[in-house]
Amino acid sequence: MTDDLARIAIWDPDEVSIRVARSAPARDALQEVRDILMIDLGAPVSRGGPMRCFCGMRVELPYELLPCFLTAEAG
């Protein structure tokens, strides 16, 4: 998570990471991360399960994007 990004999420090949705008709505950020993984990087489709990298490893999300945080935020 970072401040002052031009878009919701950006693939950073130098850091081998995806930077996500802290101010972005969590659901939009998750969709952007999923799209970057699947479309740009060729990761397998992940519908409802954990996001996976193109190499098959589980993608670790910041706590702000975890389902339990989203549920607490909505309630």
Side-chain angles (χ1 to χ4, degrees), residues 54-71:
F54 61 89
C55 67
M57 286 182 53
R58 182 182 173 135
V59 173
E60 297 297 325
L61 297 171
Y63 75 91
E64 294 97 339
L65 298 179
L66 295 175
C68 58
F69 182 81
L70 296 176
T71 303

Side-chain angles (χ1 to χ4, degrees), residues 38-58:
M38 293 185 321
I39 297 167
D40 297 341
L41 301 176
V45 175
S46 60
R47 302 276 183 222
M51 290 185 203
R52 301 268 175 202
C53 179
F54 61 89
C55 67
M57 286 182 53
R58 182 182 173 135

Side-chain angles (χ1 to χ4, degrees), residues 5-64:
L5 281 183
R7 297 187 336 228
I8 291 174
I10 299 173
W11 164 243
D12 184 351
D14 294 330
E15 296 292 325
V16 190
S17 63
I18 298 173
R19 297 184 320 161
V20 177
R22 191 178 315 278
S23 61
R27 285 177 176 44
D28 293 345
L30 285 171
Q31 185 60 51
E32 287 286 321
V33 169
R34 184 175 286 116
D35 288 350
I36 289 171
L37 288 168
M38 293 185 321
I39 297 167
D40 297 341
L41 301 176
V45 175
S46 60
R47 302 276 183 222
M51 290 185 203
R52 301 268 175 202
C53 179
F54 61 89
C55 67
M57 286 182 53
R58 182 182 173 135
V59 173
E60 297 297 325
L61 297 171
Y63 75 91
E64 294 97 339

